[in-house]
Amino acid sequence: MKVSSLRTWSRITWPAVAALAAAFTLTGPASAGAPGQADPKLGNQQKAAAAQLAKDYGVSAQEAQRRIQRQDRLTDLATDVRKALGSRFGGAWIDHDNGGRLTVAVTQRATTSKVHATASKAGARETRTVVVRHSLRELTQMSDVLARRIAKANKGAANGLQAAVVTEDNALRLDVPRGKKLTADQHKVVKWAKQRFGGSLRVDTYAHASEPLYCGGQYSCDPPLRSGVAIYGSNIRCTSAFSVYDSYAYYMLTAGHCAEGSSYWQIPTYSYGYQGVGSAVDYTFGYYGDSAIVRVDDAGFWQPRGWVYPSTSIRDWGYDYVGQYVCKQGSTTGYTCGQVTDTHATVSYPNRTLTGMTWSTACVAAGDSGSGVYYGSTAYGILSGGPSSGCGMIHEPVSRALSQLGVTLLSG
């Protein structure tokens, strides 16, 4: 659902915005560092991600830290190759089953030499290439076609179909709820997808329904607030994400389904009172994502932080790649990390179907909705939801949120 555009709202203008925009404008993902450049010492965030990686793959702490230390270089390399190859790019992923190396899929064998040359310059000579049938652009288009069918079939159904792009298989995956009865329309979608996509489709099951993760029905919910900055609306608690701006004002990002349930927002202060933040002026919650911006009434209080968490500076944004580790800092579960498992995902919520989302394995809970999903100084998304049982996180890619809301990420 798309509500009034930012341009239809009357807002306060702060003169300092223009100057700050010049100083902090972010045009896109950071590029790979210079060859041979030393990696920075691991901070607490990187150590936490490494500990999760070691647990996930049964490798030593030292090996896990080595892989995490290289992650930014590999994701930057993937983005550089993505831009260079265009329609010949079939996707990329970090393969932790094979030492954490980057694998790049291409649609033309002749382009493999270009990938290896770029990887060598970036200090990632072990990068592997595979030749595939579909480009990432084609897979995304196929996913969009399937998503439209799913969204229509899911309306009124007790249990929704879901889907995702499986980059590693150069295919789509259509997920049906395990042990649940499908409607006649959903059966038709499954049959249609098998006929339409043939060998490019995998059909699987999922055990737990997906749901948005806000605290509703009471002003707060247990467990008590952890490390994320909570925002309170009308009987709703969510978490704030990144700071953004346009030529009119400063804002904070949160989840669209939070803004749908509330208009004016507050944050708790150190004295356990509440300070007004502002009103939600634009949001999307539905087929095309889950993001919102809340106007910041007191610009001086929020500046010049790149994120509302004082200890974290966000300097750029990036794309999601399967295999990379991302983290979030929510007001309920605090700080957790997990591995990206699915991109361009179609997700079934109660009475909603969302497309273009990203799944990861981080643990989240009610009240974490709206948290910033990030790694190091790079923003990746806005936490939307997760499974109704067990760990798992769904986030809205920050690249799409910035574009749809017409705002720029503010660097710290």
Side-chain angles (χ1 to χ4, degrees):
M1 180 185 300
K2 189 76 171 176
V3 298
S4 303
S5 167
L6 285 174
R7 294 171 180 80
T8 66
W9 285 76
S10 175
R11 288 161 298 195
I12 298 173
T13 301
W14 288 282
V17 171
L20 284 164
F24 295 121
T25 296
L26 303 173
T27 58
S31 59
Q37 184 176 4
D39 290 311
K41 184 180 179 181
L42 290 181
N44 291 334
Q45 180 194 126
Q46 287 78 11
K47 289 179 181 177
Q52 187 63 50
L53 193 159
K55 180 179 179 181
D56 291 342
Y57 288 92
V59 299
S60 68
Q62 183 178 11
E63 170 62 13
Q65 290 184 16
R66 182 190 72 82
R67 296 187 190 185
I68 285 296
Q69 202 169 27
R70 299 174 68 250
Q71 178 172 281
D72 283 345
R73 186 184 303 172
L74 296 184
T75 54
D76 287 347
L77 170 59
T79 296
D80 286 345
V81 172
R82 177 184 193 143
K83 292 178 178 178
L85 297 185
S87 62
R88 296 168 294 172
F89 179 71
W93 62 95
I94 298 175
D95 188 356
H96 288 292
D97 288 324
N98 288 284
R101 68 184 177 188
L102 181 70
T103 299
V104 177
V106 298
T107 59
Q108 297 177 9
R109 189 171 299 278
T111 60
T112 59
S113 58
K114 185 174 184 178
V115 173
H116 288 298
T118 304
S120 181
K121 290 180 180 179
R125 293 180 178 84
E126 72 285 358
T127 296
R128 175 174 173 258
T129 55
V130 294
V131 181
V132 296
R133 177 183 177 186
H134 301 293
S135 68
L136 182 61
R137 188 176 301 172
E138 289 173 332
L139 287 174
T140 303
Q141 292 171 346
M142 291 160 61
S143 177
D144 289 342
V145 171
L146 178 58
R148 286 193 289 271
R149 297 261 180 161
I150 289 176
K152 186 176 180 180
N154 280 350
K155 287 183 178 180
N159 304 283
L161 298 174
Q162 300 192 146
V165 168
V166 186
T167 315
E168 312 95 297
D169 292 343
N170 196 237
L172 301 182
R173 192 184 69 242
L174 174 58
D175 293 328
V176 301
R178 187 181 306 165
K180 304 294 184 180
K181 187 177 180 179
L182 300 182
T183 66
D185 286 341
Q186 289 175 325
H187 276 296
K188 289 179 182 178
V189 169
V190 174
K191 182 178 180 180
W192 171 87
K194 290 178 178 179
Q195 293 174 340
R196 173 68 180 269
F197 302 117
S200 298
L201 180 75
R202 311 284 185 267
V203 179
D204 205 342
T205 62
Y206 67 91
H208 303 290
S210 303
E211 58 184 16
L213 297 176
Y214 64 94
C215 286
Q218 52 187 353
Y219 203 58
S220 62
C221 61
D222 292 327
L225 300 185
R226 302 283 179 84
S227 56
V229 174
I231 54 174
Y232 291 86
S234 303
N235 217 26
I236 288 176
R237 171 165 68 80
C238 286
T239 306
S240 58
F242 310 109
S243 300
V244 296
Y245 68 93
D246 63 9
S247 58
Y248 298 98
Y250 297 115
Y251 312 90
M252 61 181 184
L253 287 174
T254 189
H257 66 265
C258 296
E260 186 181 53
S262 186
S263 57
Y264 192 78
W265 292 88
Q266 296 178 307
I267 62 169
T269 64
Y270 292 113
S271 60
Y272 299 102
Y274 293 89
Q275 175 172 338
V277 175
S279 300
V281 296
D282 201 1
Y283 76 89
T284 297
F285 177 41
Y287 187 81
Y288 291 107
D290 188 10
S291 61
I293 51 173
V294 177
R295 185 185 62 246
V296 176
D297 288 337
D298 182 0
F301 177 79
W302 296 87
Q303 270 296 317
R305 303 169 186 170
W307 197 13
V308 295
Y309 304 102
S311 62
T312 303
S313 293
I314 297 297
R315 297 188 176 90
D316 49 46
W317 60 265
Y319 297 108
D320 299 315
Y321 295 102
V322 169
Q324 75 179 115
Y325 278 77
V326 293
C327 303
K328 76 94 184 64
Q329 197 163 5
S331 63
T332 300
T333 58
Y335 181 81
T336 58
C337 301
Q339 184 182 37
V340 172
T341 56
D342 292 306
T343 61
H344 304 94
T346 301
V347 177
S348 173
Y349 281 169
N351 303 315
R352 306 275 180 160
T353 296
L354 282 68
T355 63
M357 307 297 281
T358 299
W359 275 96
S360 63
T361 60
C363 293
V364 294
D368 286 335
S369 279
S371 302
V373 178
Y374 68 108
Y375 175 80
S377 60
T378 303
Y380 287 103
I382 304 164
L383 195 156
S384 173
S388 57
S389 179
C391 288
M393 178 173 72
I394 304 163
H395 74 253
E396 162 75 1
V398 73
S399 56
R400 180 170 66 176
L402 295 173
S403 176
Q404 288 191 166
L405 297 171
V407 292
T408 300
L409 197 64
L410 183 68
S411 96

Short mmCIF file of all heavy atoms in Angstrom, two decimals, residues 49 53 56-57 67-68 71 74-75 92-97 100-102 167-168 320-326 338-343 358-361:
data_model
loop_
_atom_site.label_atom_id
_atom_site.label_comp_id
_atom_site.label_asym_id
_atom_site.label_seq_id
_atom_site.Cartn_x
_atom_site.Cartn_y
_atom_site.Cartn_z
N ALA A 49 29.58 -11.82 14.32
CA ALA A 49 29.26 -12.50 13.06
C ALA A 49 30.16 -13.71 12.86
O ALA A 49 29.70 -14.77 12.40
CB ALA A 49 29.42 -11.52 11.90
N LEU A 53 29.20 -17.66 12.38
CA LEU A 53 29.70 -18.44 11.25
C LEU A 53 30.37 -19.72 11.72
O LEU A 53 30.15 -20.80 11.15
CB LEU A 53 30.67 -17.59 10.42
CG LEU A 53 31.08 -18.08 9.04
CD1 LEU A 53 31.61 -16.91 8.21
CD2 LEU A 53 32.14 -19.17 9.09
N ASP A 56 27.72 -22.10 12.68
CA ASP A 56 26.95 -22.59 11.53
C ASP A 56 27.72 -23.65 10.73
O ASP A 56 27.12 -24.60 10.22
CB ASP A 56 26.59 -21.44 10.60
CG ASP A 56 25.57 -20.48 11.21
OD1 ASP A 56 24.90 -20.88 12.18
OD2 ASP A 56 25.46 -19.34 10.71
N TYR A 57 29.03 -23.47 10.58
CA TYR A 57 29.78 -24.34 9.68
C TYR A 57 30.81 -25.23 10.38
O TYR A 57 31.52 -25.99 9.71
CB TYR A 57 30.48 -23.49 8.61
CG TYR A 57 29.50 -22.95 7.60
CD1 TYR A 57 28.92 -21.70 7.77
CD2 TYR A 57 29.11 -23.71 6.50
CE1 TYR A 57 27.99 -21.21 6.86
CE2 TYR A 57 28.19 -23.24 5.59
CZ TYR A 57 27.62 -21.99 5.78
OH TYR A 57 26.70 -21.53 4.90
N ARG A 67 37.29 -15.41 7.42
CA ARG A 67 36.25 -15.27 6.40
C ARG A 67 35.45 -13.99 6.57
O ARG A 67 35.15 -13.30 5.60
CB ARG A 67 35.31 -16.48 6.44
CG ARG A 67 35.98 -17.80 6.09
CD ARG A 67 34.94 -18.92 5.99
NE ARG A 67 35.56 -20.23 5.90
CZ ARG A 67 34.90 -21.37 5.70
NH1 ARG A 67 33.56 -21.32 5.58
NH2 ARG A 67 35.52 -22.53 5.63
N ILE A 68 35.11 -13.68 7.81
CA ILE A 68 34.36 -12.46 8.07
C ILE A 68 35.17 -11.23 7.70
O ILE A 68 34.66 -10.24 7.17
CB ILE A 68 33.92 -12.40 9.55
CG1 ILE A 68 32.76 -13.37 9.79
CG2 ILE A 68 33.55 -11.00 9.98
CD1 ILE A 68 31.48 -13.01 9.03
N GLN A 71 34.79 -10.51 4.08
CA GLN A 71 33.45 -10.43 3.52
C GLN A 71 33.18 -9.14 2.75
O GLN A 71 32.63 -9.18 1.64
CB GLN A 71 32.41 -10.58 4.64
CG GLN A 71 30.97 -10.47 4.15
CD GLN A 71 29.96 -10.80 5.22
OE1 GLN A 71 29.72 -11.96 5.49
NE2 GLN A 71 29.37 -9.78 5.82
N LEU A 74 34.67 -9.20 -0.66
CA LEU A 74 33.99 -10.11 -1.59
C LEU A 74 32.66 -9.53 -2.07
O LEU A 74 32.31 -9.64 -3.25
CB LEU A 74 33.78 -11.47 -0.95
CG LEU A 74 35.05 -12.26 -0.60
CD1 LEU A 74 34.69 -13.63 -0.05
CD2 LEU A 74 35.97 -12.38 -1.81
N THR A 75 31.90 -8.93 -1.16
CA THR A 75 30.62 -8.36 -1.59
C THR A 75 30.83 -7.13 -2.47
O THR A 75 30.07 -6.91 -3.42
CB THR A 75 29.74 -7.99 -0.38
OG1 THR A 75 30.46 -7.13 0.51
CG2 THR A 75 29.32 -9.24 0.39
N ALA A 92 25.80 -13.93 -7.63
CA ALA A 92 27.03 -14.24 -6.90
C ALA A 92 26.67 -14.65 -5.48
O ALA A 92 25.64 -14.22 -4.95
CB ALA A 92 27.97 -13.03 -6.88
N TRP A 93 27.51 -15.49 -4.89
CA TRP A 93 27.28 -15.90 -3.51
C TRP A 93 28.61 -16.28 -2.86
O TRP A 93 29.57 -16.64 -3.53
CB TRP A 93 26.30 -17.06 -3.43
CG TRP A 93 26.72 -18.33 -4.11
CD1 TRP A 93 27.33 -19.42 -3.54
CD2 TRP A 93 26.56 -18.66 -5.50
NE1 TRP A 93 27.56 -20.40 -4.48
CE2 TRP A 93 27.08 -19.96 -5.69
CE3 TRP A 93 26.01 -17.98 -6.60
CZ2 TRP A 93 27.08 -20.59 -6.92
CZ3 TRP A 93 26.01 -18.62 -7.84
CH2 TRP A 93 26.55 -19.90 -7.98
N ILE A 94 28.63 -16.16 -1.54
CA ILE A 94 29.80 -16.57 -0.77
C ILE A 94 29.58 -18.02 -0.35
O ILE A 94 28.62 -18.33 0.35
CB ILE A 94 30.01 -15.65 0.45
CG1 ILE A 94 30.26 -14.22 -0.01
CG2 ILE A 94 31.19 -16.15 1.30
CD1 ILE A 94 30.37 -13.22 1.12
N ASP A 95 30.48 -18.89 -0.77
CA ASP A 95 30.31 -20.33 -0.59
C ASP A 95 31.09 -20.81 0.63
O ASP A 95 32.28 -21.13 0.54
CB ASP A 95 30.78 -21.05 -1.86
CG ASP A 95 30.48 -22.53 -1.83
OD1 ASP A 95 29.98 -23.03 -0.80
OD2 ASP A 95 30.76 -23.20 -2.84
N HIS A 96 30.43 -20.89 1.77
CA HIS A 96 31.10 -21.30 2.99
C HIS A 96 31.29 -22.81 3.08
O HIS A 96 32.00 -23.30 3.95
CB HIS A 96 30.35 -20.78 4.21
CG HIS A 96 30.49 -19.31 4.41
ND1 HIS A 96 31.68 -18.72 4.76
CD2 HIS A 96 29.59 -18.29 4.27
CE1 HIS A 96 31.52 -17.41 4.86
NE2 HIS A 96 30.26 -17.13 4.56
N ASP A 97 30.67 -23.55 2.19
CA ASP A 97 30.94 -24.99 2.12
C ASP A 97 32.26 -25.26 1.41
O ASP A 97 32.77 -26.38 1.44
CB ASP A 97 29.81 -25.72 1.37
CG ASP A 97 28.54 -25.80 2.19
OD1 ASP A 97 28.64 -25.96 3.42
OD2 ASP A 97 27.44 -25.67 1.61
N GLY A 100 34.56 -20.38 1.99
CA GLY A 100 34.13 -18.98 2.02
C GLY A 100 34.55 -18.18 0.81
O GLY A 100 34.61 -16.95 0.87
N ARG A 101 34.78 -18.84 -0.29
CA ARG A 101 35.17 -18.12 -1.50
C ARG A 101 33.94 -17.56 -2.20
O ARG A 101 32.82 -18.02 -2.00
CB ARG A 101 35.92 -19.04 -2.46
CG ARG A 101 35.04 -20.13 -3.06
CD ARG A 101 35.84 -21.09 -3.92
NE ARG A 101 35.00 -22.16 -4.45
CZ ARG A 101 35.47 -23.21 -5.09
NH1 ARG A 101 36.78 -23.36 -5.26
NH2 ARG A 101 34.66 -24.15 -5.56
N LEU A 102 34.16 -16.57 -3.04
CA LEU A 102 33.09 -15.99 -3.83
C LEU A 102 32.90 -16.80 -5.11
O LEU A 102 33.88 -17.16 -5.77
CB LEU A 102 33.41 -14.54 -4.19
CG LEU A 102 32.33 -13.80 -5.00
CD1 LEU A 102 31.10 -13.53 -4.14
CD2 LEU A 102 32.88 -12.49 -5.57
N THR A 167 19.98 -18.40 -6.21
CA THR A 167 21.11 -18.00 -7.05
C THR A 167 22.05 -19.16 -7.31
O THR A 167 22.53 -19.36 -8.43
CB THR A 167 21.89 -16.85 -6.38
OG1 THR A 167 20.98 -15.87 -5.89
CG2 THR A 167 22.84 -16.21 -7.37
N GLU A 168 22.30 -19.96 -6.28
CA GLU A 168 23.25 -21.07 -6.41
C GLU A 168 22.80 -22.12 -7.42
O GLU A 168 23.63 -22.81 -8.02
CB GLU A 168 23.47 -21.76 -5.06
CG GLU A 168 23.74 -20.81 -3.90
CD GLU A 168 22.49 -20.47 -3.13
OE1 GLU A 168 21.57 -19.88 -3.72
OE2 GLU A 168 22.44 -20.81 -1.93
N ASP A 320 22.30 -7.37 -1.26
CA ASP A 320 22.33 -8.62 -0.50
C ASP A 320 22.87 -9.75 -1.38
O ASP A 320 22.44 -9.91 -2.53
CB ASP A 320 20.92 -8.99 -0.04
CG ASP A 320 20.31 -7.94 0.87
OD1 ASP A 320 21.02 -7.46 1.77
OD2 ASP A 320 19.12 -7.60 0.68
N TYR A 321 23.78 -10.53 -0.80
CA TYR A 321 24.31 -11.71 -1.50
C TYR A 321 24.19 -12.92 -0.58
O TYR A 321 24.53 -12.85 0.61
CB TYR A 321 25.77 -11.51 -1.90
CG TYR A 321 25.96 -10.42 -2.93
CD1 TYR A 321 26.42 -9.16 -2.56
CD2 TYR A 321 25.66 -10.65 -4.27
CE1 TYR A 321 26.57 -8.14 -3.50
CE2 TYR A 321 25.81 -9.64 -5.22
CZ TYR A 321 26.26 -8.39 -4.83
OH TYR A 321 26.41 -7.40 -5.76
N VAL A 322 23.72 -14.02 -1.14
CA VAL A 322 23.61 -15.25 -0.37
C VAL A 322 24.98 -15.62 0.18
O VAL A 322 26.00 -15.53 -0.50
CB VAL A 322 23.06 -16.40 -1.25
CG1 VAL A 322 23.20 -17.75 -0.56
CG2 VAL A 322 21.59 -16.14 -1.58
N GLY A 323 25.01 -16.03 1.44
CA GLY A 323 26.25 -16.44 2.08
C GLY A 323 26.88 -15.37 2.95
O GLY A 323 27.69 -15.69 3.83
N GLN A 324 26.55 -14.10 2.73
CA GLN A 324 27.12 -13.05 3.56
C GLN A 324 26.41 -13.01 4.91
O GLN A 324 25.25 -13.41 5.03
CB GLN A 324 27.04 -11.69 2.87
CG GLN A 324 25.65 -11.07 2.87
CD GLN A 324 25.60 -9.71 2.20
OE1 GLN A 324 24.96 -9.55 1.16
NE2 GLN A 324 26.25 -8.73 2.79
N TYR A 325 27.09 -12.51 5.92
CA TYR A 325 26.50 -12.37 7.24
C TYR A 325 26.11 -10.92 7.47
O TYR A 325 26.86 -10.00 7.16
CB TYR A 325 27.47 -12.84 8.33
CG TYR A 325 27.45 -14.34 8.49
CD1 TYR A 325 28.09 -15.16 7.57
CD2 TYR A 325 26.76 -14.95 9.54
CE1 TYR A 325 28.04 -16.54 7.68
CE2 TYR A 325 26.71 -16.33 9.66
CZ TYR A 325 27.35 -17.12 8.73
OH TYR A 325 27.30 -18.49 8.84
N VAL A 326 24.89 -10.73 7.99
CA VAL A 326 24.38 -9.41 8.31
C VAL A 326 23.90 -9.42 9.76
O VAL A 326 23.66 -10.48 10.33
CB VAL A 326 23.23 -9.00 7.37
CG1 VAL A 326 23.73 -8.79 5.95
CG2 VAL A 326 22.10 -10.02 7.40
N GLY A 338 23.14 -13.18 11.34
CA GLY A 338 22.77 -14.38 10.61
C GLY A 338 23.23 -14.31 9.18
O GLY A 338 23.69 -13.26 8.70
N GLN A 339 23.08 -15.41 8.47
CA GLN A 339 23.55 -15.53 7.09
C GLN A 339 22.40 -15.34 6.11
O GLN A 339 21.30 -15.88 6.30
CB GLN A 339 24.16 -16.92 6.88
CG GLN A 339 24.77 -17.13 5.51
CD GLN A 339 25.30 -18.55 5.36
OE1 GLN A 339 24.70 -19.50 5.85
NE2 GLN A 339 26.42 -18.70 4.68
N VAL A 340 22.63 -14.58 5.05
CA VAL A 340 21.64 -14.40 4.01
C VAL A 340 21.45 -15.74 3.28
O VAL A 340 22.41 -16.36 2.83
CB VAL A 340 22.06 -13.31 3.01
CG1 VAL A 340 21.11 -13.27 1.81
CG2 VAL A 340 22.10 -11.95 3.69
N THR A 341 20.19 -16.18 3.17
CA THR A 341 19.90 -17.46 2.53
C THR A 341 19.10 -17.32 1.24
O THR A 341 19.22 -18.15 0.34
CB THR A 341 19.10 -18.37 3.49
OG1 THR A 341 17.91 -17.69 3.91
CG2 THR A 341 19.94 -18.72 4.71
N ASP A 342 18.25 -16.30 1.14
CA ASP A 342 17.40 -16.11 -0.05
C ASP A 342 17.28 -14.64 -0.39
O ASP A 342 17.15 -13.80 0.51
CB ASP A 342 15.99 -16.65 0.19
CG ASP A 342 15.95 -18.16 0.32
OD1 ASP A 342 16.46 -18.86 -0.58
OD2 ASP A 342 15.42 -18.65 1.33
N THR A 343 17.28 -14.33 -1.68
CA THR A 343 17.04 -12.97 -2.13
C THR A 343 15.87 -12.97 -3.11
O THR A 343 15.43 -14.02 -3.58
CB THR A 343 18.28 -12.38 -2.82
OG1 THR A 343 18.61 -13.19 -3.97
CG2 THR A 343 19.47 -12.34 -1.86
N THR A 358 14.42 -10.21 1.42
CA THR A 358 15.61 -11.02 1.69
C THR A 358 15.44 -11.80 2.98
O THR A 358 15.01 -11.23 3.99
CB THR A 358 16.87 -10.14 1.78
OG1 THR A 358 17.08 -9.46 0.54
CG2 THR A 358 18.10 -10.97 2.12
N TRP A 359 15.78 -13.08 2.94
CA TRP A 359 15.75 -13.94 4.13
C TRP A 359 17.17 -14.14 4.66
O TRP A 359 18.12 -14.28 3.89
CB TRP A 359 15.20 -15.32 3.79
CG TRP A 359 13.72 -15.47 3.81
CD1 TRP A 359 12.87 -15.39 2.74
CD2 TRP A 359 12.89 -15.79 4.94
NE1 TRP A 359 11.57 -15.62 3.13
CE2 TRP A 359 11.55 -15.87 4.47
CE3 TRP A 359 13.15 -16.01 6.29
CZ2 TRP A 359 10.48 -16.16 5.32
CZ3 TRP A 359 12.09 -16.30 7.13
CH2 TRP A 359 10.77 -16.38 6.65
N SER A 360 17.31 -14.18 5.98
CA SER A 360 18.57 -14.57 6.62
C SER A 360 18.24 -15.37 7.87
O SER A 360 17.07 -15.55 8.22
CB SER A 360 19.43 -13.35 6.97
OG SER A 360 18.77 -12.52 7.91
N THR A 361 19.26 -15.86 8.54
CA THR A 361 19.05 -16.79 9.66
C THR A 361 19.10 -16.13 11.03
O THR A 361 19.06 -16.81 12.05
CB THR A 361 20.11 -17.91 9.62
OG1 THR A 361 21.42 -17.32 9.73
CG2 THR A 361 20.02 -18.71 8.33
#
